[in-house]
Amino acid sequence: MFPDGRRTGRAMPPAAGVVAIVPARGGSKGLPGKNLAPVAGVPLITRTIRAAIGASRIDAVFVSTDDDRIADAAHAEGAGVIRRPVELAGDTASSESALLHALDEIAAGAGTLPGITVFLQATSPFVDSADLDEAVRRVVDGEDDVVFSVVPSHAFLWRESADGAEGVNHESSVRHRRQEREPEYRETGAFYVMRTDGFRDAGHRFFGRIGMLRVPDAHAIEIDDPADLALARVIARGGLGDDDPVGTGPVVMPPQPARHHGSTGHDSRDSNDSGRRHPKPRIDVDAVVTDFDGVHTDDTAWVDAEGRELVRVSRSDGHGVARLREAGIPVLILSAETNPVVAARAAKLQVEVRQGVAEKGIALAEWAEARGIRLDRIAYLGNDEGDLPALALVGWPVAVADAVPSVRSIARLVLDRRGGTGAVRELAELVVGARTIPESAYADRVVQKQGAFA
């Protein structure tokens, strides 16, 4: 029996066992809660598990984690969960240490080690199950001891030296054309397939004969910061065109509404469509979080003779917040502003507020955890660059019509209304409206892998 209480499956010879392990910590300084951040509506950890489950040569999938929410997501997809000790869950702990611990736990539960270990990272959202199968085949057939994912690169690399910049992989006095240069290969970090005995003996992922498996450039993105996550979401929406679709095959995604662009002027109509409005999506979430300046206000202030700031807010937004409260949807105002007017407005609206916040992503993740609300079930409404870390974490990043370009580019929805002129009400109507219709017929496919370690 495994540490999480699951029974082992049918017995098989040890050499035939192929187990995928996904190390996924709950903490991350660069992007809090990133392993649960949604791409095309599906958390990163879930996408990775589904890719592994979709590989016919993988017998079982385990997630090594210290986080209850990640464990719940893993169980929901039919994966086993291995609880990672605190000493192996810090910022300085290596992936190898988590893998070795997981293998020990699997051996204790199953009575034997798998013949092959597939190490997957949840921060790579576009792993193709077919690539995993090919990498496993090469190790099973003895072609390689280790196979890992790469993309070709023809980049000219440079480094700083005491005498100035110098070429790393080229002679700076000679500029060869791309077709005249042999490609080099960049490690994507998405997956590593290896003989278990060799890995345990070496203590690291590269040993023996090492092979590379080329994957498409679009599959090579690794998410470390909000900009990476924003790019992944664009790719998942088909931003690269139909000739290189991603997230297809066994990794099933719910249909996504078209991104709606409103106006950046006072007219609420899109100037590019001759006045025709795009259909607006219904936003099915469990909480709404907003910035204050530029969202509840028009991002301007009056200053009186004594230096006190006064702001103008919209009564329409107040009605929208009231509708959210009546529907039982929690609302949080999250602001970097320290002016008491923020708290005063929150008190008037009868909603929670956190102000003077320097790191909105961290503050949002902490609030969501305390309230027991999944990040992918939150809509965040923002307008400026300080909102980017929070927007990157939630399932519904939303921008007011006059938001800065970086916020508009990361948003899943751009509203018609500008900040301070009813944008909060507009979002509230879409959220409350989603509570009045049946849930989508779409249901995530849950696959329970059967095999030596299932």
Side-chain angles (χ1 to χ4, degrees):
M1 184 170 289
F2 291 116
D4 65 359
R6 296 191 319 127
R7 293 179 298 174
T8 57
R10 64 180 183 271
M12 293 178 65
V18 179
V19 166
I21 300 174
V22 188
R25 296 189 301 120
S28 172
K29 289 184 177 179
L31 187 58
K34 68 179 177 182
N35 287 316
L36 289 169
V39 171
V42 180
L44 289 175
I45 186 65
T46 301
R47 295 178 71 98
T48 303
I49 293 169
R50 291 181 185 177
I53 286 174
S56 61
R57 290 178 177 267
I58 293 177
D59 298 308
V61 182
F62 286 88
V63 173
S64 168
T65 188
D66 61 328
D67 187 274
D68 289 341
R69 295 170 301 168
I70 293 175
D72 290 343
H75 279 306
E77 295 299 318
V81 173
I82 296 171
R83 289 290 177 174
R84 197 188 308 190
V86 174
E87 61 270 20
L88 299 181
D91 293 333
T92 60
S94 67
S95 297
E96 276 81 355
S97 66
L99 292 172
L100 290 168
H101 171 263
L103 287 169
D104 287 342
E105 293 294 297
I106 291 170
T112 187
L113 285 166
I116 294 174
T117 298
V118 180
F119 165 31
L120 287 152
Q121 300 206 83
T123 47
S124 296
F126 302 123
V127 175
D128 192 325
S129 302
D131 288 335
L132 293 176
D133 276 332
E134 174 58 18
V136 171
R137 182 201 65 76
R138 285 169 54 175
V139 177
V140 168
D141 291 351
E143 295 179 17
D144 298 295
D145 297 304
V146 179
V147 175
F148 67 104
S149 56
V150 300
V151 289
S153 171
H154 290 83
F156 292 103
L157 301 181
W158 294 79
R159 65 181 164 216
E160 292 281 0
S161 71
D163 298 323
E166 62 181 16
V168 174
N169 61 345
H170 65 286
E171 172 56 51
S172 57
S173 62
V174 179
R175 180 58 51 143
H176 292 293
R177 294 177 299 171
R178 178 185 179 93
Q179 60 268 33
E180 295 172 338
R181 302 175 63 214
E182 289 295 323
E184 296 171 316
Y185 294 91
R186 177 173 65 83
E187 184 179 340
T188 73
F191 62 82
Y192 306 80
V193 178
M194 48 202 166
R195 286 186 12 252
T196 302
D197 57 353
F199 169 64
R200 288 171 66 85
D201 289 343
H204 55 82
R205 70 193 78 173
F206 294 116
F207 58 87
R209 179 178 174 82
I210 301 171
M212 300 183 294
L213 183 68
R214 289 180 57 169
V215 300
D217 286 346
H219 295 191
I221 185 171
E222 188 173 16
I223 295 175
D224 289 318
D225 57 37
D228 296 332
L229 186 56
L231 177 59
R233 286 171 171 165
V234 170
I235 295 173
R237 285 196 294 262
L240 295 184
D242 295 335
D243 57 331
D244 189 16
V246 295
T248 55
V251 184
V252 182
M253 304 299 163
Q256 297 297 307
R259 189 159 129 217
H260 175 69
H261 288 275
S263 169
T264 56
H266 291 288
D267 190 340
S268 65
R269 296 177 299 182
D270 188 330
S271 60
N272 294 323
D273 65 2
S274 302
R276 291 178 289 116
R277 290 180 181 271
H278 299 284
K280 293 182 180 179
R282 295 181 185 271
I283 300 177
D284 181 17
V285 293
D286 298 326
V288 172
V289 181
T290 76
D291 188 11
F292 185 74
D293 286 335
V295 172
H296 287 264
T297 77
D298 62 1
D299 217 14
T300 61
W302 293 286
V303 181
D304 66 15
E306 297 180 6
R308 292 174 300 191
E309 289 189 358
L310 302 173
V311 298
R312 173 180 171 275
V313 296
S314 166
R315 290 188 181 278
S316 176
D317 286 341
H319 291 306
V321 172
R323 289 208 63 195
L324 291 169
R325 291 202 331 268
E326 291 167 2
I329 300 169
V331 178
L332 169 70
I333 295 176
L334 191 59
S335 175
E337 179 58 60
T338 57
N339 193 307
V341 71
V342 180
R345 182 59 176 166
K348 175 74 173 179
L349 297 175
Q350 301 177 50
V351 300
E352 294 183 69
V353 61
R354 292 192 180 186
Q355 65 178 115
V357 175
E359 299 289 343
K360 289 188 176 181
I362 295 174
L364 173 60
E366 291 174 346
W367 178 81
E369 182 174 9
R371 293 295 301 261
I373 301 172
R374 285 169 33 191
L375 289 167
D376 64 319
R377 296 287 303 165
I378 294 175
Y380 185 97
L381 179 58
N383 76 304
D384 213 338
E385 291 182 353
D387 297 310
L388 290 173
L391 288 163
L393 289 178
V394 301
W396 272 97
V398 183
V400 296
D402 54 339
V404 299
S406 57
V407 169
R408 290 172 63 90
S409 68
I410 198 176
R412 187 170 170 184
L413 172 71
V414 178
L415 298 174
D416 289 323
R417 295 285 183 174
R418 299 159 63 95
T421 64
V424 177
R425 174 69 177 268
E426 183 181 347
L427 174 60
E429 296 293 345
L430 299 176
V431 172
V432 173
R435 297 293 179 99
T436 63
I437 60 173
E439 294 184 1
S440 169
Y442 173 82
D444 288 343
R445 184 184 64 176
V446 177
V447 182
Q448 184 74 42
K449 292 293 286 189
Q450 300 296 325
F453 303 96

